[in-house]
Amino acid sequence: TQAQLPPFMPFIHRTDAHEIVVPSVVNVVNVGGLQYIRDETGVALETGDGEMWSPAGEVWPHHFGDVTGNNFQEAVNEGISWLASKGGGDLHFPMGEYTANGKIIVRSNVHLIGKGRPIINLLSNSNCSLFESASYLDLSGSGSSGGESAFSIKNFYLNGRRTWNTAPPENEGHVIACYGRDFLIENVYARDAARIGITCEYAVGPLSGQSPYNGRYSLLTIVSSGESGLVNRVSDSHIASINSLNNGLSDNGDGHSHIWLAQSGNCRASNLQTWTWGVNDVAPDYGIRIDTPGVKISGGMAADGKVADIAVLNDNCDISNMMTGPVRQTGAHLIVAGSRNNISINMVHRAEETPPHAVVLGVTGRQAKGNKIVVTGNVVPTASMIGYDNSAGYNDVQLIGASAASVMLDGTPQSTDRITTREWDGALTGYVGATQQRAQVVGSGTVSAADAIAIGGGVAQATRSIAEGTRAIARITGTKARANNRFSFDGDSQIITMEGRVITTNDTPTAMTYGATATIPTNSTWLVEATVLGRQTVGGSDRYAAKATGVFSRAASTSVASGTPIITDINAVSGWSIDLVPQDNSFAIMVTGPAGATVRWLADIRIVEILQ
């Protein structure tokens, strides 16, 4: 405390202290309300006797020089360098408005903390970035593992004054530009960058940083940048509560985005908001652009992209609880060009927008394959709901109350692409490839045929089939296959249910039909259980019921019965019978009714299947 320190001498201005010889018994001086402690290695203050002094207590830029002119960054950089030389620390910025005519250089382990969000303006014709990490220009684009680390920029209002800084050199003119990791940028309002509002990068590829995330962005508002708003090239970053608006004002069509996640895999983001004021066409190409795999975004709204509100141009991304729209010019609400992405969005339509497509699958040079997309809302595109620009198949699009388009799809869908539409009244239609069909996935799974359903991870390969369970493969038309486990490969052990039917008019044994060929796979065994009901409809009213059970195996050619099938009458009628026999590479249920009578036969068939 002051009572424990030797007496200190007060000065009004730094110039006063520069002219004074301070008695040796005085270890603390006060200049303009700021305290300094005697320190032979100090750089903050030099008194008239040549003695050096360092900040005592909380460190401010004001400790290191005049902050009232247009070169505020000089005092700040002195403070940053001094803290860095001590191993790091906090540099506090009191509330106020300051002007810089050069860069504030960010260094490792130094945390820049505003109090009450002080304002820092870039002076006209400075044409540089406002905050820039040491060696940023040398490292940017290099993929190096160098750069700064463990730094913070918190609680600032930063103005790049784009209108008065129109000619920055290459890769300058940003509000914040950093190369490094393990940083925090929080509660910053960044506006009017000549180029990018906030851009950070680090070595390409997954990293193991010193903190849970290599980069952290939180509570940011980025406004009126000439190019993109936020560009992140740091993997394993966490991005939360970002408002990026009215960016892309240079309108040069270079793929700029309100938010651009580029070369920064495994990012986690939430509550992202992008939009542009007014209805003019000066806007970035994308609301949110993702060029990197493994990104997860939950919650927010992406709007006003001229090419797309959201563009997912890589693999294994998870986008949920997002809203899109409106779009600018002829953009799409969503472009997906990658594989295994899982996306759910609500699309908002504005009367004056004229997007050709709600969703575009694939772009030139990059295909879309195996993506799951769920769309709600009511979009009215001018061409079609789904544009298959470059599809590699297995894309599953579900439209819930979002099928206002007169044309559902255009382009070149593959036979394994699927669209399911469900109106709010519950009506269900769909498309497999370019053909309108009925098909659906419940939970997860794959459907590659018309009128089929996959439940819980199954694969429905046959028309009108149902695959239920993670290991089921429905290969036979009109059947249901169920399996939640396997021995060696999917579909090698499962339960199959199907039906058989036929009408007889005489007493000749007749094979029931199953709607498709029930082929026993090579090197497999079936246990067949059939419950058969026969009902006479002409010439009498008898009813017959029986059950047949048999085992059939198939090696390379035809099937053979293992043992003798068991036939059990449930409701016997004289002259009526059934049999279960091998037939070619399958089995046949043979039924016999009375002569001169018409009988309708129906069988409930259950097959236990094991493949080699």
Side-chain angles (χ1 to χ4, degrees):
T1 66
Q2 182 59 46
Q4 297 170 319
L5 293 172
F8 69 93
M9 299 179 64
F11 302 98
I12 297 175
H13 302 292
R14 291 176 66 88
T15 53
D16 298 334
H18 292 165
E19 299 172 357
I20 298 297
V21 175
V22 179
S24 60
V25 295
V26 175
N27 287 330
V28 177
V29 297
N30 185 304
V31 180
L34 298 173
Q35 289 191 3
Y36 298 79
I37 190 169
R38 193 184 294 273
D39 179 4
E40 62 181 15
T41 64
V43 296
L45 178 69
E46 182 178 2
T47 50
D49 51 10
E51 290 293 307
M52 303 304 297
W53 304 76
S54 291
E58 194 172 86
V59 182
W60 293 10
H62 305 54
H63 280 106
F64 296 89
D66 182 20
V67 298
T68 61
N70 293 328
N71 58 346
F72 176 60
Q73 80 283 353
E74 293 185 6
V76 176
N77 289 335
E78 286 283 351
I80 292 173
S81 295
W82 180 76
L83 285 169
S85 72
K86 301 292 185 183
D90 299 343
L91 184 62
H92 295 271
F93 294 69
M95 184 62 186
E97 186 165 1
Y98 309 95
T99 300
N101 60 8
K103 305 172 185 177
I104 293 173
I105 304 300
V106 179
R107 299 187 183 277
S108 295
N109 302 310
V110 178
H111 306 282
L112 311 179
I113 304 172
K115 292 190 171 184
R117 197 182 257 186
I119 300 169
I120 304 177
N121 300 305
L122 186 64
L123 186 67
S124 300
N125 298 316
S126 297
N127 289 313
C128 63
S129 297
L130 188 50
F131 280 62
E132 185 178 288
S133 65
S135 302
Y136 169 78
L137 293 176
D138 294 330
L139 294 172
S140 178
S142 69
S144 167
S145 58
E148 306 306 301
S149 64
F151 59 85
S152 303
I153 302 172
K154 299 172 61 177
N155 311 331
F156 289 98
Y157 183 108
L158 306 177
N159 189 349
R161 303 185 76 217
R162 176 179 51 85
T163 305
W164 294 276
N165 287 277
T166 58
E170 184 178 357
N171 204 13
E172 298 204 43
H174 316 302
V175 169
I176 298 176
C178 294
Y179 192 101
R181 67 176 191 180
D182 300 317
F183 59 80
L184 170 64
I185 302 175
E186 182 178 74
N187 192 29
V188 172
Y189 189 104
R191 63 169 300 166
D192 286 315
R195 288 212 165 93
I196 300 171
I198 299 176
T199 177
C200 297
E201 60 182 292
Y202 191 58
V204 176
L207 306 170
S208 297
Q210 298 174 2
S211 62
Y213 297 100
N214 285 293
R216 289 173 291 161
Y217 309 82
S218 178
L219 300 171
L220 306 182
T221 300
I222 308 167
V223 181
S224 301
S225 303
E227 298 179 357
S228 295
L230 171 65
V231 177
N232 179 61
R233 291 186 171 91
V234 182
S235 74
D236 304 286
S237 291
H238 185 259
I239 305 169
S241 299
I242 311 297
N243 288 310
S244 184
L245 52 139
N246 216 44
N247 297 298
L249 297 181
S250 63
D251 199 32
N252 56 16
D254 285 342
H256 303 311
S257 308
H258 280 300
I259 297 174
W260 188 350
L261 306 180
Q263 302 169 5
S264 52
N266 302 318
C267 289
R268 300 294 179 263
S270 61
N271 191 24
L272 306 183
Q273 309 285 336
T274 76
W275 50 286
T276 298
W277 290 309
V279 294
N280 61 76
D281 289 325
V282 178
D285 288 347
Y286 303 95
I288 299 174
R289 174 175 171 174
I290 301 169
D291 288 342
T292 189
V295 170
K296 183 173 183 179
I297 300 176
S298 177
M301 178 173 182
D304 296 309
K306 291 191 296 187
V307 176
D309 286 345
I310 298 177
V312 181
L313 307 178
N314 217 299
D315 307 328
N316 299 313
C317 296
D318 191 325
I319 315 296
S320 62
N321 301 319
M322 289 293 296
M323 182 179 293
T324 62
V327 297
R328 296 296 172 119
Q329 295 183 348
T330 57
H333 283 255
L334 174 67
I335 293 176
V336 180
S339 301
R340 302 176 300 280
N341 296 293
N342 189 9
I343 302 168
S344 64
I345 57 176
N346 180 32
M347 296 183 178
V348 177
H349 178 75
R350 187 170 62 187
E352 61 268 24
E353 72 177 57
T354 56
H357 302 100
V359 179
V360 173
L361 291 169
V363 297
T364 301
R366 187 167 185 86
Q367 292 184 311
K369 181 178 181 179
N371 299 288
K372 175 69 176 291
I373 302 167
V374 179
V375 175
T376 59
N378 192 12
V379 183
V380 188
T382 59
S384 70
M385 279 295 292
I386 314 297
Y388 289 90
D389 284 10
N390 192 3
S391 171
Y394 300 98
N395 297 294
D396 178 10
V397 181
Q398 297 184 32
L399 306 173
I400 302 174
S403 57
S406 58
V407 178
M408 182 57 64
L409 61 89
D410 63 13
T412 308
Q414 303 300 311
S415 62
T416 53
D417 285 322
R418 189 166 62 87
I419 301 173
T420 303
T421 69
R422 187 185 298 276
E423 299 306 316
W424 298 122
D425 61 4
L428 175 66
T429 58
Y431 292 76
V432 174
T435 305
Q436 185 170 1
Q437 303 283 359
R438 298 175 67 88
Q440 189 172 12
V441 171
V442 179
S444 62
T446 302
V447 175
S448 56
D451 303 325
I453 298 175
I455 303 173
V459 178
Q461 296 179 342
T463 303
R464 300 186 303 280
S465 67
I466 300 173
E468 179 182 325
T470 57
R471 303 302 182 184
I473 299 180
R475 308 181 186 93
I476 305 171
T477 297
T479 65
K480 176 182 176 181
R482 176 172 56 84
N484 281 304
N485 214 325
R486 66 182 185 180
F487 293 113
S488 300
F489 53 88
D490 289 355
D492 70 354
S493 49
Q494 55 188 3
I495 308 300
I496 301 170
T497 56
M498 57 190 292
E499 64 184 53
R501 64 182 65 232
V502 73
I503 297 176
T504 60
T505 57
N506 54 47
D507 58 358
T508 301
T510 305
M512 301 188 80
T513 59
Y514 315 120
T517 302
T519 302
I520 301 175
T522 304
N523 298 319
S524 64
T525 299
W526 279 7
L527 167 63
V528 179
E529 298 178 331
T531 302
V532 182
L533 174 66
R535 182 178 185 276
Q536 186 174 349
T537 59
V538 176
S541 59
D542 286 341
R543 281 98 168 117
Y544 171 81
K547 186 171 183 178
T549 304
V551 177
F552 299 88
S553 297
R554 180 185 173 203
S557 55
T558 59
S559 64
V560 296
S562 299
T564 302
I566 299 173
I567 309 298
T568 303
D569 284 340
I570 299 173
N571 185 50
V573 178
S574 177
W576 298 49
S577 65
I578 67 170
D579 200 1
L580 184 60
V581 299
Q583 186 179 68
D584 298 330
N585 54 8
S586 185
F587 65 90
I589 301 173
M590 309 299 294
V591 297
T592 305
T598 299
V599 180
R600 293 178 176 179
W601 299 86
L602 179 66
D604 178 13
I605 305 167
R606 183 177 185 269
I607 300 169
V608 180
E609 176 186 63
I610 297 180
L611 279 65
Q612 181 176 342

